Amino acid sequence: MIEAGTRRRNLPAPPHVVGESLGEPDRDPARPWLFLLDGEERPVVLERTAQRVVWSSLWPRRPEALIVFDLDAGGGGTDLRWTLLVDELPDASLLGHYRRRINVLINANLRYSYGQ
């Protein structure tokens, strides 16, 4: 698979909490964060360890896509890297949309759910 995008940011919560949030996005109804757009679907968790969570695609048009989350303790919270993997790169506009959506879901919505 081809790495189509990646970003690493620090989240304020510890790795086990971030891993639980990614592994069970609806776990805490008081802190919803996985807000999907039309044309997106809830991911299936394909792999879950203390250091990694792998999601199936958010986009039915790209069912082969995977989103890999690598978690490391750092900076008093979690250094979280997401990586989008695809079989074939989409056009630049669509690729930009995919990257932005993952970034909004993780580095905005999930971050804000932790109060930051």
Side-chain angles (χ1 to χ4, degrees):
M1 295 195 89
I2 301 167
E3 183 178 300
T6 189
R7 183 153 209 194
R8 183 180 180 126
R9 298 276 310 263
N10 186 272
L11 295 178
H16 74 277
V17 172
V18 174
E20 288 174 3
S21 295
L22 293 169
E24 299 175 52
D26 299 320
R27 185 177 134 261
D28 187 350
R31 296 184 312 130
W33 62 271
L34 187 63
F35 304 113
L36 301 173
L37 300 177
D38 289 339
E40 295 178 345
E41 63 186 10
R42 195 163 278 315
V44 173
V45 176
L46 303 174
E47 177 185 336
R48 184 174 171 191
T49 68
Q51 294 83 28
R52 175 174 280 206
V53 176
V54 179
W55 280 1
S56 66
S57 180
L58 295 170
W59 306 281
R61 292 176 47 189
R62 296 302 299 249
E64 86 292 351
L66 298 176
I67 305 169
V68 178
F69 300 98
D70 294 304
L71 300 87
D72 292 308
T78 302
D79 286 335
L80 177 66
R81 175 182 299 278
W82 63 257
T83 303
L84 173 62
L85 301 173
V86 295
D87 284 343
E88 182 179 310
L89 289 175
D91 67 65
S93 174
L94 191 55
L95 180 57
H97 170 74
Y98 291 161
R99 290 173 179 162
R100 178 162 169 60
R101 280 300 296 148
I102 298 169
N103 204 47
V104 166
L105 289 171
I106 303 306
N107 294 318
N109 296 1
L110 180 58
R111 171 184 300 282
Y112 299 153
S113 79
Y114 299 132
Q116 192 179 51

